[in-house]
Amino acid sequence: MSAIALFGIIWFLVLFIVLPIRLETQAETGEVEPGTPASAPSDAKIVQKFKIVTVVAVALWCVAAAVLISGLLTLESIDFFQEWRESY
């Protein structure tokens, strides 16, 4: 379950990074649909962006999983307050 949660977090973080890339607003194209703001995307190309996000997220997830499984990064290695807790 942790691996699935980690993948979901990575996927959404990458999505929020990729969404504004090459975004053309309706105001920039000059075709504003009535009832929508001029800053709305004219063509979001969402399927293409989802494919890119998935490929990048899988690659990042593989790196993160490899680091965690190998033991290079453990809870003890990132416990910055260990000395502080031991002194009290």
Side-chain angles (χ1 to χ4, degrees):
M1 292 305 294
S2 297
I4 294 170
L6 179 63
F7 180 77
I9 291 168
I10 291 172
W11 193 89
F12 276 102
L13 286 173
V14 174
L15 176 67
F16 291 137
I17 292 169
V18 170
L19 275 178
I21 295 174
R22 291 190 176 181
L23 179 71
E24 291 182 359
T25 63
Q26 292 180 11
E28 291 172 344
T29 59
E31 302 171 1
V32 179
E33 290 288 324
T36 62
S39 61
S42 61
D43 182 19
K45 300 176 186 168
I46 201 75
V47 174
Q48 180 183 5
K49 289 186 180 187
F50 277 3
K51 289 177 184 177
I52 293 169
V53 165
T54 302
V55 169
V56 172
V58 166
L60 291 174
W61 181 82
C62 287
V63 170
V67 167
L68 292 173
I69 290 172
S70 71
L72 290 174
L73 183 65
T74 63
L75 188 57
E76 290 80 25
S77 66
I78 59 172
D79 189 6
F80 300 116
F81 298 107
Q82 181 178 4
E83 292 179 22
W84 177 76
R85 279 196 312 259
E86 290 174 355
S87 67
Y88 287 101

